[in-house]
C-alpha cells in the first residue's frame, strides 16, 4: 500500500510538471516581433497630411517626447509606455500650448506590410487609453496581427489616428 501511495504521489507531481511545462511552452511560443526603447516624435515635414507615413498623417504641429519603450509580440500582445509626449516647446506651437498634452487619450496603431498591401500596409488600431496632461500613458493590449507582418511600425496616435510618435529615432 505504501508503495502504491508513493507511485501515486510521483505521478501527481509528474502531472503538475507536465501541465506547468506545457503552459509555459504555449506562452513561450510567442516571439518578440519588435522591441524598442525609443520613439521619434512627429516633426516637420511630417506634421499634418502632406507627408503621411504609411498612410498615417502626423499631428498638426510638432511634438516632443521624453521617453518611450514597448514590445510587440507575435501573438499580438502590445505594450507601450510613453512619458512626456507633449506639444513641442517651440514655434509653430502657440506659447500657451508648448510643453503640454492637450489630448486626453492616446491610441496605438501598428502598421504591417503584407502581400496584399505591400506599399502602404495595413493598420491595426487599439482602443484609446487615458493620457495625462504631462503626456504620460501606458497601452497594454492584444491586437490581431496579419500574417505575415513585415516591417512593422508602431505609432502613438490621437483618438482620430494622427500620429504623435513612431518607432524610430
Amino acid at each position: 500500500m505504501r508503495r502504491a501511495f508513493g507511485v501515486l504521489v510521483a505521478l501527481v507531481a509528474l502531472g503538475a510538471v507536465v501541465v506547468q511545462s506545457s503552459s509555459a511552452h504555449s506562452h513561450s511560443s510567442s516571439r518578440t516581433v519588435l522591441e524598442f526603447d525609443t520613439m521619434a516624435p512627429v516633426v516637420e515635414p511630417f506634421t499634418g497630411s502632406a507627408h503621411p507615413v504609411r498612410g498615417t498623417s502626423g499631428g498638426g504641429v510638432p511634438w516632443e517626447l521624453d521617453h518611450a519603450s514597448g514590445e510587440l509580440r507575435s501573438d499580438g500582445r502590445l505594450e507601450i509606455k510613453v512619458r512626456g509626449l507633449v506639444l513641442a516647446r517651440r514655434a509653430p506651437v502657440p506659447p500657451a500650448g508648448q510643453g503640454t498634452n492637450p489630448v486626453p487619450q492616446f491610441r496605438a496603431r501598428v502598421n504591417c506590410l503584407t502581400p496584399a498591401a505591400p506599399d502602404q500596409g495595413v493598420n491595426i488600431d487599439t482602443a484609446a487609453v487615458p493620457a495625462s496632461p504631462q503626456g504620460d500613458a501606458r497601452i497594454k493590449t492584444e491586437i490581431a496581427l496579419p500574417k505575415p507582418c513585415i516591417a512593422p511600425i508602431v505609432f502613438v496616435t490621437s483618438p482620430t489616428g494622427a500620429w504623435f510618435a513612431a518607432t524610430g529615432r
Side-chain angles (χ1 to χ4, degrees):
M1 183 67 134
R2 222 174 185 189
R3 184 176 165 103
F5 182 72
V7 169
L8 179 62
V9 169
L11 286 174
V12 168
L14 179 62
V17 168
V18 168
V19 167
Q20 188 177 30
S21 169
S22 69
S23 124
H25 177 67
S26 68
H27 212 36
S28 69
S29 65
S30 173
R31 295 175 163 248
T32 300
V33 173
L34 180 65
E35 189 171 13
F36 52 95
D37 62 3
T38 186
M39 294 182 94
V42 67
V43 295
E44 302 91 339
F46 302 106
T47 56
S49 59
H51 300 285
V53 175
R54 293 220 188 137
T56 299
S57 296
V61 294
W63 286 65
E64 61 186 43
L65 176 64
D66 288 338
H67 177 75
S69 62
E71 181 178 43
L72 175 63
R73 307 278 304 175
S74 62
D75 63 1
R77 285 181 287 158
L78 174 66
E79 185 168 358
I80 305 168
K81 295 176 191 170
V82 293
R83 298 284 174 258
L85 181 56
V86 295
L87 297 175
R89 292 174 176 88
R90 62 177 175 84
V93 178
Q98 293 180 10
T100 67
N101 168 30
V103 182
Q105 296 178 316
F106 293 153
R107 287 182 187 257
R109 170 172 286 174
V110 176
N111 177 281
C112 298
L113 298 179
T114 67
D119 296 318
Q120 292 295 320
V122 296
N123 290 322
I124 305 100
D125 292 330
T126 69
V129 300
S132 74
Q134 297 78 29
D136 300 340
R138 181 174 182 206
I139 300 167
K140 187 173 184 177
T141 190
E142 195 167 317
I143 59 174
L145 282 178
K147 292 186 181 171
C149 174
I150 300 167
I153 297 176
V154 176
F155 298 94
V156 174
T157 73
S158 69
T160 58
W163 73 271
F164 302 144
T167 48
R169 212 174 140 190

